[in-house]
Amino acid sequence: MALPVDIQALDKAFSGIGVDDKSLISILTNSNEEHKKSLRKGSSKLFIEDENGFERWDQSSIKILKHQFKRFRDAVVLSLLHPWERDARLIEKAIRKGPKHYNVIVEIACTRSSDQLLGARKAYHSLFHHSIEEHLVTHIKGRERKLLVALVSAYRYEGPGVNEDVAKSEAQILYEAINNGDKNKLLDHEDAIMILATRSKQHLQALYQHYNQSYDKTLAQDLEGEGILKDTVECLCTPQTYFTRVLEAAVKEDADEKSKRALTRVIVTQKEQLVKEGFVPNKIQDILLGLYKDFMLASIASGDIK
């Protein structure tokens, strides 16, 4: 007969992001068949008893648990891959999965150095026998295509030089494009795409400041609800805002699976950004479980993942 404490421990082992491996092993290796039967009867979150008194897995719970068990494996695989291959595979998967995943392409294109992005493009050639740009043009039919192609093709200047007059002028160009026209056509605005895809990050951050000073609101605020454009501006100009938003969405109680997967991706592939922006591990550690938790926290604390 399973004690209430065992049933509570079993439920808790699956109640966060990841799996509490140690508790699960302890409970199951010390259980006989009668004990396991009472565990099944007591754990209504995982099992359903049918009209014949048969305790069976709840199908939706099985699906959730498969994702939870995969998290540690996925984190390990991502961390072992060469950074260029890792980025190339993430981009290819995002292209296949469609518009809800295009933020992954933006995230990589806007946070990598020019040489790192060039490396990902080289890896893409080797892995998929096409260029990233070719696959974007082939598979994306919406307005996002023009911006995404421009972002992944960028080779930005990375020096300190910024022309403040040009940055201020281009802040005005973006303001007028957003506020004096049809927002639905913003992704077709040639000057807006040129500015976001070709200017250095230092230049864009200066532009962002001029925008705020001139119009008493940030460029990101003016792009609220604009999805991929807001993601682009935040990744380029205020990456701490973008990554905080992604990580906080991942650990919400009602987070969907896409949001939860982002936790692994961001922590493993954006370690430098998280350290640079002062990301604090205790923001996530209470919701993570088991080996997955250990790996994620060690990834943030160590300098091994680049």
Side-chain angles (χ1 to χ4, degrees), residues 16-18 68 71 75 78 107 243-252 255-271 274 279 281 283-285 287-289 292-293 295-297 299-300:
I17 300 179
Q68 299 295 11
R71 295 193 198 286
L78 276 180
E107 190 179 292
F243 288 115
T244 297
R245 176 160 59 87
V246 171
L247 292 172
E248 286 181 349
V251 297
K252 286 182 178 178
D256 58 20
E257 187 55 33
K258 175 181 175 291
S259 298
K260 289 180 180 179
R261 282 199 204 101
L263 186 70
T264 303
R265 183 188 74 250
V266 168
I267 291 178
V268 174
T269 70
Q270 298 288 346
K271 198 269 182 180
L274 296 180
F279 177 75
K283 289 183 178 180
I284 61 168
Q285 63 183 358
I287 197 72
L288 304 188
L289 295 173
Y292 180 73
K293 173 180 179 177
F295 190 86
M296 290 292 96
L297 295 180
S299 296
I300 296 171

Side-chain angles (χ1 to χ4, degrees), residues 18 30 52 73 113 126 145 150 157 195 227 246 260 278 285:
N30 290 294
N52 298 315
R73 185 200 71 183
S113 70
S126 296
R145 179 170 66 183
Y157 167 67
I195 292 166
V246 171
K260 289 180 180 179
Q285 63 183 358

Side-chain angles (χ1 to χ4, degrees), residues 233-245:
V233 166
E234 286 189 342
C235 280
L236 288 167
C237 302
T238 58
Q240 74 280 9
T241 302
Y242 174 81
F243 288 115
T244 297
R245 176 160 59 87

Side-chain angles (χ1 to χ4, degrees), residues 39-263:
L39 281 175
R40 290 192 295 269
K41 284 185 174 296
S43 186
S44 58
K45 291 182 181 179
L46 302 175
F47 297 92
I48 297 173
E49 187 171 314
D50 64 19
E51 63 275 9
N52 298 315
F54 177 64
E55 317 94 19
R56 60 178 176 83
W57 276 110
D58 174 48
Q59 197 63 33
S60 61
S61 296
I62 293 178
K63 185 176 180 180
I64 291 170
L65 291 183
K66 283 181 179 178
H67 289 307
Q68 299 295 11
F69 279 112
K70 273 180 82 253
R71 295 193 198 286
F72 178 63
R73 185 200 71 183
D74 291 347
V76 170
V77 170
L78 276 180
S79 69
L80 285 172
L81 291 174
H82 189 288
W84 295 356
E85 178 180 0
R86 184 178 63 209
D87 284 350
R89 290 191 180 279
L90 286 170
I91 290 171
E92 191 273 339
K93 185 176 181 180
I95 293 172
R96 280 190 290 106
K97 284 188 166 288
K100 291 184 178 179
H101 299 264
Y102 292 164
N103 68 300
V104 177
I105 304 171
V106 170
E107 190 179 292
I108 293 168
C110 294
T111 60
R112 300 296 186 247
S113 70
S114 294
D115 286 339
Q116 288 170 334
L117 185 55
L118 180 61
R121 291 167 65 192
K122 290 179 178 179
Y124 204 97
H125 289 181
S126 296
L127 292 167
F128 306 111
H129 310 294
H130 293 276
S131 69
I132 297 175
E133 295 88 338
E134 183 182 357
H135 269 179
L136 287 171
V137 170
T138 301
H139 297 290
I140 297 178
K141 305 304 180 185
R143 282 179 168 158
E144 307 97 331
R145 179 170 66 183
K146 189 181 295 184
L147 176 62
L148 291 172
V149 169
L151 291 175
V152 301
S153 303
Y155 198 87
R156 300 176 191 273
Y157 167 67
E158 293 177 347
V162 174
N163 186 318
E164 295 291 343
D165 289 337
V166 174
K168 187 173 184 178
S169 173
E170 291 182 344
Q172 182 178 353
I173 290 172
L174 291 178
Y175 177 82
E176 291 176 353
I178 294 168
N179 292 281
N180 298 339
D182 182 353
K183 274 193 176 184
N184 292 328
K185 295 181 179 179
L186 196 56
L187 285 168
D188 295 322
H189 197 288
E190 297 288 345
D191 287 342
I193 290 176
M194 179 277 294
I195 292 166
L196 293 175
T198 66
R199 295 303 192 189
S200 72
K201 293 174 187 176
Q202 291 86 347
H203 177 97
L204 290 168
Q205 287 160 10
L207 180 158
Y208 196 88
Q209 292 300 318
H210 283 298
Y211 196 103
N212 191 14
Q213 292 165 9
S214 297
Y215 307 113
D216 294 325
K217 53 184 170 181
T218 68
L219 179 54
Q221 286 173 330
D222 244 356
L223 289 171
E224 191 64 45
E226 294 303 307
I228 193 171
L229 276 168
K230 182 181 178 183
D231 290 341
T232 298
V233 166
E234 286 189 342
C235 280
L236 288 167
C237 302
T238 58
Q240 74 280 9
T241 302
Y242 174 81
F243 288 115
T244 297
R245 176 160 59 87
V246 171
L247 292 172
E248 286 181 349
V251 297
K252 286 182 178 178
E253 283 190 16
D254 59 349
D256 58 20
E257 187 55 33
K258 175 181 175 291
S259 298
K260 289 180 180 179
R261 282 199 204 101
L263 186 70

